[in-house]
């Protein structure tokens, strides 16, 4: 990696972290010496980039929190890989949050020039994925799960178990588990305290509810 490329990559890395990173960690990340990292940081400061050293536990080098950089410019190669992986996740239903992922992929494509978009389409034609998609689920259910998970809110679900018994529960999502052809919620029942897995494809209705005391 040329020095100019490394300086840009270093700035992007610090921008993405926003928490302290030690010089040793940066040196390992960019395969250079610690002394080289110190010189690179001095160069970024000379270019008016507010790189500060934070002391104490979790400290290191970080950008000032009020600082922002122009939008990221993807190369066709970088965008192709991101879009390919995103399309694979959507086609295989690896993630329940396909709407948000589609929106993100659109933004990646929009960041490319016309020629780069043409190259991206050519590269994507040369990629193929084989596998068994996860079982389908309702879009409204996936949207409610996404909101409850990201906002850390309770979720009221109507669930049909293996015996076709339908129950309604209010749960808190502990984690989202993706295993082979199933996507499951590892969730805690708000009222009973019971913790169990719920298959997303068996949730027929879902609604975000307000947390107690809010």
């Amino acid at each position: 990696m040329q020095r100019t490329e490394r300086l840009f990559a270093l700035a992007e890395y610090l921008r993405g972290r926003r928490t302290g990173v030690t010089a040793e960690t940066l040196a390992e990340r960019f395969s250079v010496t610690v002394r080289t990292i110190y010189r690179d940081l001095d160069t970024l400061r000379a270019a008016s980039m507010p790189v500060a050293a934070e002391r104490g536990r979790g400290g290191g080098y970080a950008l000032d929190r009020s600082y922002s950089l122009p939008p990221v410019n993807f190369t066709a190669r970088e965008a192709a890989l991101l879009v390919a992986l995103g399309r694979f996740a959507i086609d295989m239903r690896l993630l329940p949050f396909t709407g948000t992922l589609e929106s993100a992929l659109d933004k990646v494509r929009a960041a490319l020039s016309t020629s780069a978009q043409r190259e991206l389409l050519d590269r994507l034609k040369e990629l193929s994925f084989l596998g068994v998609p996860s079982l389908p689920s309702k879009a409204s259910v996936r949207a409610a799960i996404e909101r409850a998970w990201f906002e850390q809110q309770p979720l009221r679900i109507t669930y049909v178990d293996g015996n076709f018994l339908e129950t309604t529960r209010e749960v808190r999502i502990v984690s989202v588990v993706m295993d082979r052809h199933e996507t499951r919620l590892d969730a805690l029942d708000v009222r009973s305290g019971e913790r169990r897995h719920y298959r997303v494809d068996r949730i027929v209705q879902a609604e975000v509810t307000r947390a107690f005391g809010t």
Side-chain angles (χ1 to χ4, degrees), residues 90-108:
I90 291 170
D91 293 343
M92 294 294 107
R93 292 190 284 269
L94 297 181
L95 291 170
F97 319 127
T98 54
T100 301
L101 183 53
E102 284 276 18
S103 176
L105 295 180
D106 286 342
K107 291 176 182 177
V108 172

Side-chain angles (χ1 to χ4, degrees), residues 115-185:
S115 61
Q117 287 194 27
R118 284 197 296 268
E119 184 179 348
L120 168 62
L121 292 174
D122 289 340
R123 296 291 75 79
L124 292 180
K125 291 176 184 176
E126 299 164 1
L127 290 171
S128 60
F129 299 99
L130 302 177
V132 179
S134 181
L135 295 169
S137 56
K138 290 184 176 181
S140 59
V141 169
R142 297 197 305 270
I145 290 172
E146 179 179 357
R147 182 183 163 200
W149 183 44
F150 277 104
E151 297 180 9
Q152 291 292 284
Q153 295 289 339
L155 182 71
R156 183 180 293 115
I157 62 172
T158 301
Y159 189 76
V160 179
D161 64 18
N163 296 318
F164 303 101
L165 178 64
E166 183 177 296
T167 58
T168 299
R169 296 170 179 252
E170 189 166 357
V171 300
R172 278 191 175 278
I173 300 173
V174 177
S175 63
V176 180
V177 180
M178 289 155 282
D179 181 17
R180 298 177 186 174
H181 66 287
E182 294 178 5
T183 299
R184 305 191 302 273
L185 301 183

